[in-house]
Amino acid sequence: MDMRLQFLGGTGTVTGSKYLLEVGGMRLLIDCGLFQGYKTLRLRNWARVPVDPASIDAVILTHAHLDHSGYLPLLAKEGYRGPVYCTAATRELCEVLLPDSGRLQEEEADYANRKHSSRHEPALPLYSEEDARACLLQLRPCAFDQEIRLGPKVALRFWAAGHILGAAIVELNVDGKRIVFSGDLGRPHDRIMKPPMVISQADWLLVESTYGNRQHDPEDPRVKLGQIIRRTVAQSGVVLIPTFAVGRAQSLLYLIHLLKASGEIPQVPVYLNSPMAIDATEIFMRHQGEHRLSREQCEAMCRGASMVQSAEESIELNRRHGPMIILAASGMATGGRVLHHLKAFAPDARNAIVFSGFQAGGTRGAAILGGASHVRIFGEEIPIRASVDNIPNFSAHADADEILGWLRGFRAAPRHTFIVHGEPDAADSLRRRIADELHWPVSVPDYLQQVDLTA
Ligand code: ZN
């Protein structure tokens, strides 16, 4: 059976994941992510996908993070009317994340129009909140570990990836051939998430490489976060933690709960300032069994923080003095309420900015973590005088050894392994390790590259 794969994103970057599989007359799009970070990447969101959206038969999402799902509203707006297969938790998280993404884009366009800061007049959002809500009707929730027939010779299966709630490894069975998309892989020993499912066989494999050139710091994040909080609280400062609303926010809340419960940090007020993270926390509590926490542990974790819903409460926080801990999205400081907090708190040396995960090149997060003395926020240069830290070992992604460990679960080498979802150094480093240590045929595909998988 004819089979062709094209890489429409997730190449040379950790964003924009989109893989087009054409098989026996069907067109499947695996992941439908937004490009984020460098402007040259973001501009790709505006260039149409090189395939007519109306001609796609099915979209399959590995998980809800926007770099895997955030292009969906645009695909639907441009004519895609078919089903979007995903796990139940992924659908619930998309119901939160996608409308918010639309709203943020409308706000940015409005802002650019008011300040005349865009070369385009009027500046338009990539898609609106309404566009995002419209595409949610296409989501088809599926159970893990069950075969879903997409066509006479094409079947789909989701396996738990352990990365965030609902995250899946996608296995497509096409006329007896297996193509496996790792999606984002979780870690074998996470406090909250279960380990990724071991997959034993694939004819073709796409594997992520976010941390393909790195090992997570073995230091316990609990120790480092505890130190930062104690130090900052002692000088009445504010601990500002830019966080991803989904996954990371829940892990942080749980860690802060443990630190308080054990007396490692004082009982300072904690604010979760992200309506989206609050919704995601509720979804997290509904899906017991997908993670390691009991209902009691979930409830204790939530009791430890005040949930900040309204914009007024959010603004009010900026007038308040420390000591306090604020968690706000987005995790790479590319948008969201955390920008207002950075503006308010970054210029004061008593405060601490604590990142909690990978900061993609070109984002404010990467600039601040890289030691930038100023960053631009809403057209203003904001000085960074607060201390800047990254919590070690706090990623929702497998590191290089952990990816290799997962790959060793395959009983035989796939015919070919494609390394995706990594910046160039990370992808190439993982390529070398797979070639040297596993002796598998492996390559790093380019943007828009097509490969023929016909047997
Ligand atoms: Zn992800």
Side-chain angles (χ1 to χ4, degrees):
M1 189 184 276
D2 276 5
M3 188 151 61
R4 257 183 343 156
L5 178 67
Q6 190 179 14
F7 299 87
L8 305 184
T11 50
T13 161
V14 297
T15 70
S17 282
K18 279 183 220 80
Y19 312 106
L20 183 70
L21 186 69
E22 295 183 88
V23 52
M26 275 189 100
R27 278 190 167 154
L28 309 174
L29 185 66
I30 295 86
D31 275 342
C32 192
L34 265 189
F35 287 102
Q36 295 163 316
Y38 291 114
K39 189 168 185 184
T40 47
L41 287 175
R42 284 183 282 120
L43 286 174
R44 284 184 190 166
N45 291 323
W46 292 93
R48 308 223 155 175
V49 279
V51 53
D52 176 9
S55 73
I56 296 171
D57 296 284
V59 174
I60 299 159
L61 299 182
T62 59
H63 65 292
H65 277 153
L66 288 180
D67 53 328
H68 296 259
S69 72
Y71 192 85
L72 200 57
L74 195 55
L75 195 78
K77 188 173 146 184
E78 294 190 336
Y80 178 63
R81 295 283 172 267
V84 178
Y85 296 98
C86 60
T87 65
T90 294
R91 179 174 77 155
E92 290 175 42
L93 291 171
C94 281
E95 286 170 352
V96 173
L97 284 165
L98 295 179
D100 183 79
S101 170
R103 191 159 51 239
L104 276 180
Q105 295 184 54
E106 286 182 75
E107 280 169 14
E108 275 169 33
D110 275 354
Y111 183 83
N113 288 330
R114 272 186 281 121
K115 300 275 172 179
H116 305 285
S117 62
S118 168
R119 284 185 292 116
H120 305 279
E121 293 273 351
L124 294 173
L126 201 53
Y127 54 82
S128 66
E129 180 178 352
E130 201 184 324
D131 296 329
R133 290 201 186 280
C135 84
L136 296 175
L137 299 172
Q138 289 164 266
L139 299 182
R140 301 274 183 281
C142 305
F144 279 108
D145 309 350
Q146 275 177 26
E147 190 178 86
I148 301 134
R149 289 248 142 234
L150 303 184
K153 289 190 169 176
V154 182
L156 155 71
R157 212 182 269 264
F158 291 108
W159 301 106
H163 166 63
I164 58 164
L165 200 69
I169 297 162
V170 164
E171 179 190 298
L172 284 166
N173 195 314
V174 178
D175 203 16
K177 294 270 182 300
R178 269 187 227 189
I179 309 150
V180 171
F181 300 79
S182 76
D184 287 358
L185 284 175
R187 310 191 51 195
H189 309 290
D190 190 74
R191 264 198 184 83
I192 292 188
M193 296 308 295
K194 294 179 177 175
M197 185 67 92
V198 176
I199 306 291
S200 59
Q201 198 233 317
D203 292 281
W204 312 94
L205 172 65
L206 279 76
V207 65
E208 70 125 327
S209 58
T210 310
Y211 284 94
N213 57 347
R214 267 177 283 182
Q215 299 309 125
H216 293 313
D217 188 328
E219 188 182 353
D220 188 343
R222 178 170 170 164
V223 174
K224 175 102 178 258
L225 184 61
Q227 284 166 352
I228 298 166
I229 294 174
R230 280 196 302 279
R231 184 189 74 211
T232 311
V233 166
Q235 54 202 22
S236 294
V238 177
V239 180
L240 177 59
I241 311 181
T243 179
F244 300 96
V246 173
R248 201 63 45 83
Q250 291 74 39
S251 301
L252 283 161
L253 282 182
Y254 185 59
L255 202 54
I256 292 169
H257 153 68
L258 292 179
L259 287 167
K260 276 187 172 180
S262 65
E264 287 164 80
I265 60 169
Q267 298 293 322
V268 282
V270 178
Y271 299 95
L272 179 59
N273 182 15
S274 162
M276 203 170 38
I278 297 168
D279 290 344
T281 306
E282 278 164 16
I283 295 168
F284 184 85
M285 291 178 71
R286 275 206 293 278
H287 289 266
Q288 299 284 327
E290 266 193 52
H291 53 75
R292 299 182 198 256
L293 300 192
S294 67
R295 175 151 289 281
E296 293 70 34
Q297 286 170 314
C298 284
E299 281 165 3
M301 146 186 130
C302 290
R303 268 199 308 275
S306 307
M307 307 290 163
V308 178
Q309 289 280 9
S310 72
E312 292 72 35
E313 289 172 276
S314 171
I315 293 163
E316 179 57 33
L317 274 183
N318 289 333
R319 299 204 194 97
R320 213 165 286 183
H321 297 288
M324 61 177 168
I325 301 170
I326 301 176
L327 284 72
S330 72
M332 297 192 267
T334 49
R337 290 182 178 180
V338 78
L339 294 185
H340 298 278
H341 294 319
L342 278 171
K343 223 173 132 177
F345 299 121
D348 188 334
R350 286 175 305 170
N351 300 334
I353 304 167
V354 186
F355 291 99
S356 59
F358 188 79
Q359 301 298 311
T363 60
R364 284 190 198 85
I368 295 172
L369 199 54
S373 61
H374 291 74
V375 287
R376 201 169 177 78
I377 299 176
F378 301 125
E380 262 180 73
E381 290 293 330
I382 305 298
I384 309 293
R385 298 195 197 93
S387 72
V388 174
D389 282 287
N390 195 12
I391 308 177
N393 204 355
F394 204 64
S395 173
H397 286 270
D399 68 15
D401 281 353
E402 290 165 349
I403 296 171
L404 264 290
W406 181 75
L407 294 173
R408 286 195 176 92
F410 285 82
R411 283 198 303 268
R415 291 170 59 175
H416 200 85
T417 297
F418 300 98
I419 298 184
V420 294
H421 199 280
E423 294 191 347
D425 282 355
D428 197 57
S429 170
L430 186 65
R431 179 191 62 75
R432 267 182 281 125
R433 286 194 65 181
I434 292 174
D436 295 348
E437 295 174 35
L438 304 178
H439 311 292
W440 291 6
V442 57
S443 62
V444 180
D446 290 323
Y447 181 51
L448 300 182
Q449 189 178 326
Q450 290 194 19
V451 287
D452 192 346
L453 306 184
T454 310

Short mmCIF file of all heavy atoms in Angstrom, two decimals, residues 135-178:
data_model
loop_
_atom_site.label_atom_id
_atom_site.label_comp_id
_atom_site.label_asym_id
_atom_site.label_seq_id
_atom_site.Cartn_x
_atom_site.Cartn_y
_atom_site.Cartn_z
N CYS A 135 -14.10 24.58 16.60
CA CYS A 135 -13.41 23.33 16.22
C CYS A 135 -13.50 22.25 17.30
O CYS A 135 -13.27 21.08 17.02
CB CYS A 135 -11.96 23.60 15.82
SG CYS A 135 -10.82 23.70 17.21
N LEU A 136 -13.85 22.66 18.52
CA LEU A 136 -13.93 21.67 19.61
C LEU A 136 -14.98 20.60 19.33
O LEU A 136 -14.88 19.48 19.82
CB LEU A 136 -14.26 22.37 20.94
CG LEU A 136 -13.19 23.35 21.44
CD1 LEU A 136 -13.69 24.07 22.69
CD2 LEU A 136 -11.88 22.62 21.73
N LEU A 137 -16.00 20.97 18.52
CA LEU A 137 -17.06 20.00 18.20
C LEU A 137 -16.52 18.82 17.40
O LEU A 137 -17.15 17.77 17.32
CB LEU A 137 -18.17 20.70 17.40
CG LEU A 137 -18.86 21.86 18.13
CD1 LEU A 137 -19.79 22.61 17.19
CD2 LEU A 137 -19.63 21.33 19.34
N GLN A 138 -15.34 19.01 16.80
CA GLN A 138 -14.78 17.93 15.98
C GLN A 138 -13.98 16.91 16.79
O GLN A 138 -13.58 15.88 16.27
CB GLN A 138 -13.90 18.55 14.87
CG GLN A 138 -14.74 19.25 13.81
CD GLN A 138 -13.92 20.19 12.94
OE1 GLN A 138 -13.82 21.39 13.21
NE2 GLN A 138 -13.30 19.63 11.90
N LEU A 139 -13.74 17.21 18.07
CA LEU A 139 -12.92 16.31 18.88
C LEU A 139 -13.68 15.03 19.20
O LEU A 139 -14.83 15.07 19.63
CB LEU A 139 -12.48 17.00 20.18
CG LEU A 139 -11.63 18.27 20.03
CD1 LEU A 139 -11.23 18.79 21.40
CD2 LEU A 139 -10.39 18.01 19.19
N ARG A 140 -13.03 13.90 18.99
CA ARG A 140 -13.64 12.58 19.26
C ARG A 140 -12.82 11.89 20.36
O ARG A 140 -11.74 11.38 20.08
CB ARG A 140 -13.58 11.70 18.01
CG ARG A 140 -14.28 12.26 16.81
CD ARG A 140 -15.77 11.90 16.80
NE ARG A 140 -16.38 12.40 15.59
CZ ARG A 140 -16.75 13.68 15.40
NH1 ARG A 140 -16.54 14.57 16.33
NH2 ARG A 140 -17.32 14.04 14.26
N PRO A 141 -13.35 11.88 21.59
CA PRO A 141 -12.56 11.27 22.67
C PRO A 141 -12.48 9.75 22.53
O PRO A 141 -13.47 9.11 22.21
CB PRO A 141 -13.34 11.67 23.92
CG PRO A 141 -14.72 11.94 23.46
CD PRO A 141 -14.64 12.41 22.04
N CYS A 142 -11.31 9.22 22.77
CA CYS A 142 -11.07 7.78 22.63
C CYS A 142 -10.40 7.26 23.89
O CYS A 142 -9.68 7.98 24.57
CB CYS A 142 -10.11 7.52 21.46
SG CYS A 142 -10.63 8.23 19.90
N ALA A 143 -10.61 5.98 24.18
CA ALA A 143 -9.96 5.36 25.34
C ALA A 143 -8.52 4.99 24.97
O ALA A 143 -8.19 4.80 23.80
CB ALA A 143 -10.73 4.11 25.74
N PHE A 144 -7.68 4.89 25.99
CA PHE A 144 -6.34 4.36 25.80
C PHE A 144 -6.44 2.86 25.50
O PHE A 144 -7.42 2.21 25.87
CB PHE A 144 -5.52 4.52 27.09
CG PHE A 144 -4.95 5.90 27.29
CD1 PHE A 144 -5.47 6.75 28.26
CD2 PHE A 144 -3.86 6.33 26.54
CE1 PHE A 144 -4.93 8.01 28.46
CE2 PHE A 144 -3.31 7.59 26.73
CZ PHE A 144 -3.84 8.43 27.70
N ASP A 145 -5.42 2.34 24.85
CA ASP A 145 -5.23 0.88 24.66
C ASP A 145 -6.32 0.21 23.83
O ASP A 145 -6.49 -0.99 23.90
CB ASP A 145 -5.19 0.12 26.02
CG ASP A 145 -4.20 0.72 27.00
OD1 ASP A 145 -3.43 1.59 26.58
OD2 ASP A 145 -4.23 0.32 28.18
N GLN A 146 -7.10 1.00 23.09
CA GLN A 146 -8.15 0.37 22.28
C GLN A 146 -8.01 0.70 20.82
O GLN A 146 -7.65 1.82 20.47
CB GLN A 146 -9.53 0.82 22.77
CG GLN A 146 -9.97 -0.07 23.91
CD GLN A 146 -11.27 0.33 24.52
OE1 GLN A 146 -12.11 0.94 23.84
NE2 GLN A 146 -11.45 -0.02 25.77
N GLU A 147 -8.31 -0.30 19.99
CA GLU A 147 -8.16 -0.07 18.56
C GLU A 147 -9.33 0.74 18.03
O GLU A 147 -10.49 0.46 18.33
CB GLU A 147 -8.11 -1.42 17.85
CG GLU A 147 -7.71 -1.28 16.41
CD GLU A 147 -7.61 -2.62 15.71
OE1 GLU A 147 -8.65 -3.09 15.21
OE2 GLU A 147 -6.51 -3.18 15.68
N ILE A 148 -8.99 1.78 17.24
CA ILE A 148 -10.02 2.60 16.62
C ILE A 148 -9.82 2.48 15.11
O ILE A 148 -8.73 2.77 14.60
CB ILE A 148 -9.87 4.08 17.06
CG1 ILE A 148 -10.00 4.17 18.58
CG2 ILE A 148 -10.88 4.97 16.37
CD1 ILE A 148 -8.96 5.02 19.22
N ARG A 149 -10.86 2.03 14.41
CA ARG A 149 -10.74 1.85 12.96
C ARG A 149 -10.94 3.17 12.25
O ARG A 149 -11.93 3.85 12.44
CB ARG A 149 -11.82 0.88 12.46
CG ARG A 149 -11.59 -0.54 12.87
CD ARG A 149 -11.26 -1.40 11.64
NE ARG A 149 -10.23 -2.38 12.00
CZ ARG A 149 -9.09 -2.54 11.35
NH1 ARG A 149 -8.82 -1.83 10.28
NH2 ARG A 149 -8.22 -3.43 11.75
N LEU A 150 -9.96 3.56 11.42
CA LEU A 150 -10.10 4.81 10.67
C LEU A 150 -10.49 4.53 9.23
O LEU A 150 -10.97 5.40 8.52
CB LEU A 150 -8.79 5.60 10.68
CG LEU A 150 -8.21 5.98 12.05
CD1 LEU A 150 -6.97 6.84 11.87
CD2 LEU A 150 -9.24 6.73 12.89
N GLY A 151 -10.23 3.33 8.78
CA GLY A 151 -10.54 2.94 7.41
C GLY A 151 -10.39 1.44 7.32
O GLY A 151 -10.01 0.81 8.30
N PRO A 152 -10.69 0.86 6.16
CA PRO A 152 -10.65 -0.61 6.06
C PRO A 152 -9.30 -1.20 6.47
O PRO A 152 -9.24 -2.28 7.03
CB PRO A 152 -10.97 -0.88 4.59
CG PRO A 152 -11.10 0.43 3.91
CD PRO A 152 -11.11 1.52 4.93
N LYS A 153 -8.22 -0.48 6.19
CA LYS A 153 -6.91 -1.05 6.50
C LYS A 153 -6.09 -0.17 7.44
O LYS A 153 -4.87 -0.31 7.54
CB LYS A 153 -6.14 -1.27 5.20
CG LYS A 153 -6.72 -2.41 4.40
CD LYS A 153 -5.84 -2.80 3.24
CE LYS A 153 -6.35 -4.13 2.65
NZ LYS A 153 -5.58 -4.50 1.47
N VAL A 154 -6.74 0.78 8.08
CA VAL A 154 -6.01 1.70 8.95
C VAL A 154 -6.65 1.72 10.34
O VAL A 154 -7.84 1.98 10.48
CB VAL A 154 -6.01 3.14 8.37
CG1 VAL A 154 -5.20 4.08 9.25
CG2 VAL A 154 -5.47 3.14 6.95
N ALA A 155 -5.84 1.41 11.36
CA ALA A 155 -6.34 1.44 12.73
C ALA A 155 -5.40 2.26 13.60
O ALA A 155 -4.21 2.38 13.33
CB ALA A 155 -6.45 0.02 13.28
N LEU A 156 -6.00 2.82 14.64
CA LEU A 156 -5.28 3.75 15.51
C LEU A 156 -5.35 3.23 16.94
O LEU A 156 -6.35 2.64 17.35
CB LEU A 156 -5.99 5.11 15.41
CG LEU A 156 -5.88 6.12 16.54
CD1 LEU A 156 -4.47 6.71 16.58
CD2 LEU A 156 -6.89 7.25 16.33
N ARG A 157 -4.29 3.48 17.72
CA ARG A 157 -4.32 3.12 19.13
C ARG A 157 -3.54 4.17 19.91
O ARG A 157 -2.50 4.65 19.45
CB ARG A 157 -3.65 1.77 19.30
CG ARG A 157 -4.20 0.92 20.41
CD ARG A 157 -3.41 -0.36 20.46
NE ARG A 157 -3.98 -1.42 19.64
CZ ARG A 157 -4.80 -2.38 20.10
NH1 ARG A 157 -5.15 -2.38 21.37
NH2 ARG A 157 -5.24 -3.32 19.32
N PHE A 158 -4.07 4.57 21.06
CA PHE A 158 -3.37 5.50 21.94
C PHE A 158 -2.77 4.72 23.12
O PHE A 158 -3.48 3.96 23.77
CB PHE A 158 -4.35 6.53 22.52
CG PHE A 158 -4.89 7.51 21.51
CD1 PHE A 158 -6.22 7.44 21.08
CD2 PHE A 158 -4.08 8.51 21.00
CE1 PHE A 158 -6.72 8.36 20.17
CE2 PHE A 158 -4.58 9.44 20.08
CZ PHE A 158 -5.89 9.36 19.66
N TRP A 159 -1.50 4.96 23.38
CA TRP A 159 -0.83 4.38 24.55
C TRP A 159 -0.40 5.52 25.47
O TRP A 159 0.03 6.57 25.00
CB TRP A 159 0.42 3.60 24.14
CG TRP A 159 0.17 2.47 23.18
CD1 TRP A 159 0.47 2.45 21.85
CD2 TRP A 159 -0.39 1.19 23.48
NE1 TRP A 159 0.11 1.24 21.29
CE2 TRP A 159 -0.42 0.44 22.29
CE3 TRP A 159 -0.89 0.60 24.66
CZ2 TRP A 159 -0.92 -0.86 22.23
CZ3 TRP A 159 -1.37 -0.70 24.59
CH2 TRP A 159 -1.38 -1.41 23.39
N ALA A 160 -0.47 5.30 26.78
CA ALA A 160 -0.12 6.37 27.71
C ALA A 160 1.34 6.80 27.53
O ALA A 160 2.24 5.96 27.50
CB ALA A 160 -0.36 5.91 29.14
N ALA A 161 1.55 8.10 27.43
CA ALA A 161 2.91 8.64 27.24
C ALA A 161 3.49 9.21 28.53
O ALA A 161 4.68 9.50 28.60
CB ALA A 161 2.91 9.71 26.15
N GLY A 162 2.63 9.42 29.54
CA GLY A 162 3.14 9.87 30.85
C GLY A 162 3.64 11.30 30.88
O GLY A 162 4.25 11.71 31.86
N HIS A 163 3.38 12.08 29.84
CA HIS A 163 3.94 13.43 29.73
C HIS A 163 3.06 14.45 30.46
O HIS A 163 3.55 15.16 31.35
CB HIS A 163 4.09 13.73 28.25
CG HIS A 163 4.34 15.15 27.88
ND1 HIS A 163 5.46 15.84 28.28
CD2 HIS A 163 3.60 16.01 27.12
CE1 HIS A 163 5.39 17.07 27.79
NE2 HIS A 163 4.29 17.21 27.10
N ILE A 164 1.81 14.51 30.10
CA ILE A 164 0.80 15.27 30.86
C ILE A 164 -0.46 14.44 30.83
O ILE A 164 -0.52 13.42 30.12
CB ILE A 164 0.49 16.67 30.26
CG1 ILE A 164 0.00 16.55 28.81
CG2 ILE A 164 1.67 17.60 30.39
CD1 ILE A 164 -0.70 17.79 28.28
N LEU A 165 -1.45 14.88 31.54
CA LEU A 165 -2.73 14.19 31.54
C LEU A 165 -3.21 14.01 30.09
O LEU A 165 -3.18 14.95 29.31
CB LEU A 165 -3.73 15.06 32.31
CG LEU A 165 -4.95 14.34 32.83
CD1 LEU A 165 -4.57 13.39 33.94
CD2 LEU A 165 -5.96 15.35 33.33
N GLY A 166 -3.62 12.81 29.77
CA GLY A 166 -4.16 12.55 28.42
C GLY A 166 -3.12 12.31 27.35
O GLY A 166 -3.46 11.91 26.24
N ALA A 167 -1.85 12.56 27.66
CA ALA A 167 -0.82 12.46 26.61
C ALA A 167 -0.66 11.02 26.14
O ALA A 167 -0.63 10.09 26.94
CB ALA A 167 0.52 12.99 27.12
N ALA A 168 -0.55 10.88 24.82
CA ALA A 168 -0.52 9.54 24.23
C ALA A 168 0.63 9.37 23.24
O ALA A 168 1.06 10.32 22.60
CB ALA A 168 -1.84 9.26 23.53
N ILE A 169 1.07 8.13 23.18
CA ILE A 169 1.91 7.68 22.07
C ILE A 169 0.89 7.17 21.04
O ILE A 169 -0.05 6.46 21.40
CB ILE A 169 2.81 6.52 22.53
CG1 ILE A 169 3.78 7.00 23.62
CG2 ILE A 169 3.55 5.90 21.34
CD1 ILE A 169 4.39 5.86 24.44
N VAL A 170 1.04 7.57 19.79
CA VAL A 170 0.08 7.16 18.76
C VAL A 170 0.66 6.03 17.93
O VAL A 170 1.77 6.14 17.41
CB VAL A 170 -0.28 8.37 17.86
CG1 VAL A 170 -0.96 7.91 16.58
CG2 VAL A 170 -1.19 9.33 18.62
N GLU A 171 -0.09 4.96 17.84
CA GLU A 171 0.33 3.84 16.99
C GLU A 171 -0.68 3.70 15.87
O GLU A 171 -1.88 3.58 16.12
CB GLU A 171 0.37 2.56 17.82
CG GLU A 171 0.79 1.35 17.01
CD GLU A 171 0.59 0.05 17.79
OE1 GLU A 171 1.24 -0.11 18.85
OE2 GLU A 171 -0.23 -0.77 17.36
N LEU A 172 -0.19 3.74 14.63
CA LEU A 172 -1.08 3.51 13.49
C LEU A 172 -0.71 2.18 12.88
O LEU A 172 0.47 1.90 12.64
CB LEU A 172 -0.91 4.63 12.45
CG LEU A 172 -1.58 5.95 12.83
CD1 LEU A 172 -1.08 7.07 11.95
CD2 LEU A 172 -3.10 5.82 12.72
N ASN A 173 -1.73 1.38 12.67
CA ASN A 173 -1.51 0.10 12.03
C ASN A 173 -2.09 0.20 10.62
O ASN A 173 -3.30 0.36 10.45
CB ASN A 173 -2.21 -0.99 12.84
CG ASN A 173 -1.71 -2.35 12.44
OD1 ASN A 173 -1.60 -2.65 11.25
ND2 ASN A 173 -1.41 -3.18 13.43
N VAL A 174 -1.21 0.16 9.63
CA VAL A 174 -1.64 0.36 8.25
C VAL A 174 -1.33 -0.90 7.47
O VAL A 174 -0.16 -1.18 7.20
CB VAL A 174 -0.89 1.56 7.63
CG1 VAL A 174 -1.31 1.74 6.18
CG2 VAL A 174 -1.16 2.83 8.42
N ASP A 175 -2.37 -1.66 7.19
CA ASP A 175 -2.18 -2.86 6.38
C ASP A 175 -1.06 -3.74 6.97
O ASP A 175 -0.21 -4.25 6.24
CB ASP A 175 -1.83 -2.42 4.94
CG ASP A 175 -2.17 -3.51 3.94
OD1 ASP A 175 -2.91 -4.44 4.28
OD2 ASP A 175 -1.66 -3.43 2.80
N GLY A 176 -1.06 -3.88 8.28
CA GLY A 176 -0.07 -4.74 8.94
C GLY A 176 1.25 -4.06 9.28
O GLY A 176 2.07 -4.61 9.99
N LYS A 177 1.45 -2.83 8.81
CA LYS A 177 2.68 -2.08 9.15
C LYS A 177 2.37 -1.12 10.30
O LYS A 177 1.33 -0.48 10.30
CB LYS A 177 3.15 -1.26 7.96
CG LYS A 177 3.60 -2.10 6.78
CD LYS A 177 5.09 -2.37 6.91
CE LYS A 177 5.62 -3.19 5.73
NZ LYS A 177 4.97 -4.50 5.58
N ARG A 178 3.32 -1.01 11.22
CA ARG A 178 3.09 -0.13 12.36
C ARG A 178 3.94 1.12 12.30
O ARG A 178 5.16 1.04 12.14
CB ARG A 178 3.46 -0.85 13.65
CG ARG A 178 2.27 -1.57 14.24
CD ARG A 178 2.64 -2.11 15.57
NE ARG A 178 2.19 -3.49 15.61
CZ ARG A 178 2.19 -4.25 16.69
NH1 ARG A 178 2.68 -3.78 17.81
NH2 ARG A 178 1.75 -5.48 16.64
#
